[in-house]
Amino acid sequence: MPDDKIEIENVNIPGRTERVDRAKYMAMRTALLTALPSESPGLKVADAKEALLPLLDDDLFPQGKTAGWWLKAVQLDLEAKGVIKRAPHKPVHLYRID
């Protein structure tokens, strides 16, 4: 498996994986985990996106483009791996599991 790709999971489709760009995944993962609190109820996804955008490298995410897609992909992967959780609130609220 080439180093520039990483396999991610989707909490909504157990057993299915996708291969995505490793650098973008890792940058978004770091930004998301930095932005999310470690206690429920956490942050709404829109608030998490707003908080993490300044943390992203402009070379990988020029003007925040594609950040929404990457946020969702990383969110679903980290949920599948048990690193973050959804609080029982609507709209979706996310928080880290420490």
Side-chain angles (χ1 to χ4, degrees), residues 12-97:
N12 297 320
I13 310 169
R16 181 174 179 200
T17 61
E18 293 289 329
R19 290 171 40 85
V20 298
D21 182 273
R22 179 182 298 275
K24 287 185 177 186
Y25 174 88
M26 294 306 294
M28 181 58 72
R29 182 184 193 280
T30 299
L32 180 59
L33 291 176
T34 299
L36 290 180
S38 59
E39 295 179 7
S40 182
L43 289 176
K44 290 185 272 185
V45 175
D47 294 337
K49 182 179 178 186
E50 185 177 326
L52 66 78
L53 280 174
L55 305 174
L56 296 174
D57 184 341
D58 203 46
D59 290 337
L60 293 173
F61 300 94
Q63 300 168 352
K65 290 184 180 167
T66 72
W69 185 91
W70 282 97
L71 169 58
K72 190 57 147 178
V74 171
Q75 170 202 329
L76 295 174
D77 181 61
L78 293 180
E79 282 187 86
K81 290 177 168 73
V83 176
I84 65 174
K85 276 188 89 164
R86 292 182 197 202
H89 298 282
K90 291 195 180 197
V92 173
H93 285 64
L94 303 170
Y95 64 97
R96 287 188 328 268
I97 305 296

